[in-house]
Amino acid sequence: MRLHHSLRSSLIALALTGVLGSAQAVVVQWLVQGHLTTAEGTDIDDLQIAVGDKFSVVMQFDTASAITNPAACADGGLGRRCNFNGAPNQGFLNITIDGMVFGNFFSSSQSLNVIVVRNNAPSPDDANLIVDGYSFGSSEEFVEDGVARIATMNLVLRGPENLGVVQDARQLPAVPDLAMLDWGLRSWGVCERINAQGTSCDRVNLVGLVTSVTAVPEPAPAALLGLGLAALAWRRRSSGR
């Protein structure tokens, strides 16, 4: 199962790239916790994951990420949606489900990192609903048994307009506002599928309700470098089995 072993070691060299190539980065980490509300797919039984299992994951991102839709984002004011291409060191760390550690998840390219910030803007689910919120996503494309596949991990925190949380869509918050826990959509999820099957999550479909979001002290560059080296060492051990 890709999530269980390969994702844990896949392309964590990007962590090294992010540390060495983003001197101006302001790396932030949020600890996200909750429980699973959906656990399905052909690999779920092998993973021994079930609805109700508790999860814990650290979302790492860069508050200095460049805006990729400056015309639409404009000044980041009311009604704006701002998109950011996450820096190479964006990803999900220390993923734990029901006490089992699944490691870390980084995208296979920077273009597959997505951060969307909505500031009193239309919801993607209902254009008539005005919301605030954040969406973070990382994806990895890979080939397994000769078949092209893709795995995506995401964190979505979105709800009714609350300018106390999203005052300027150009600035991602280092410290999450507790008001986010009152928002209607608080979801962490994993989708793994065969590329040709569109949006179907046939291999793994995990959806979790987020019940806690707290700030993690800012990681030092040395600690991030250690993360990359540790992951690369794990890859060497795995390849020698």
Side-chain angles (χ1 to χ4, degrees):
M1 164 54 193
R2 191 73 178 179
L3 175 68
H4 192 239
H5 43 82
S6 299
L7 285 187
R8 179 168 55 178
S9 59
S10 67
L11 300 159
I12 305 299
L14 285 173
L16 289 172
T17 304
V19 171
L20 300 178
S22 55
Q24 303 303 315
V26 182
V27 177
V28 167
Q29 292 183 347
W30 290 354
L31 174 62
V32 180
Q33 296 175 301
H35 60 269
L36 295 180
T37 57
T38 299
E40 56 190 18
T42 57
D43 290 343
I44 290 298
D45 289 343
D46 291 340
L47 290 171
Q48 298 181 336
I49 292 174
V51 170
D53 286 350
K54 294 181 179 179
F55 67 84
S56 174
V57 59
V58 172
M59 174 69 222
Q60 176 174 287
F61 59 95
D62 180 4
T63 62
S65 295
I67 297 171
T68 55
N69 67 330
C73 180
D75 61 358
L78 294 179
R80 302 296 187 184
R81 164 184 159 167
C82 294
N83 298 346
F84 300 77
N85 241 138
N89 57 16
Q90 179 189 321
F92 296 85
L93 287 63
N94 304 330
I95 303 161
T96 302
I97 304 175
D98 193 32
M100 295 182 291
V101 178
F102 291 89
N104 309 308
F105 186 107
F106 286 83
S107 288
S108 49
S109 71
Q110 184 171 346
S111 64
L112 293 176
N113 281 325
V114 178
I115 301 176
V116 177
V117 181
R118 286 182 170 81
N119 186 6
N120 200 9
S123 168
D125 308 308
D126 182 354
N128 295 317
L129 180 64
I130 302 301
V131 298
D132 280 353
Y134 309 94
S135 301
F136 304 88
S138 293
S139 298
E140 181 200 6
E141 296 175 332
F142 58 96
V143 176
E144 188 173 282
D145 299 327
V147 178
R149 305 178 188 274
I150 186 167
T152 300
M153 193 169 294
N154 62 74
L155 170 66
V156 180
L157 301 167
R158 191 163 62 235
E161 180 271 327
N162 183 340
L163 295 183
V165 178
V166 184
Q167 294 189 20
D168 188 337
R170 294 169 298 177
Q171 179 62 49
L172 294 166
V175 178
D177 194 301
L178 292 178
M180 289 191 295
L181 295 181
D182 292 327
W183 285 353
L185 182 55
R186 309 185 312 277
S187 172
W188 173 78
V190 179
C191 173
E192 185 177 326
R193 68 176 189 273
I194 296 174
N195 253 355
Q197 294 182 344
T199 59
S200 170
C201 304
D202 63 306
R203 296 287 298 276
V204 174
N205 182 27
L206 298 180
V207 180
L209 174 65
V210 174
T211 57
S212 174
V213 184
T214 55
V216 177
E218 181 176 345
L224 290 175
L225 183 61
L227 168 66
L229 292 175
L232 291 175
W234 188 93
R235 288 182 69 178
R236 295 190 191 100
R237 289 198 298 271
S238 297
S239 62
R241 290 177 184 172

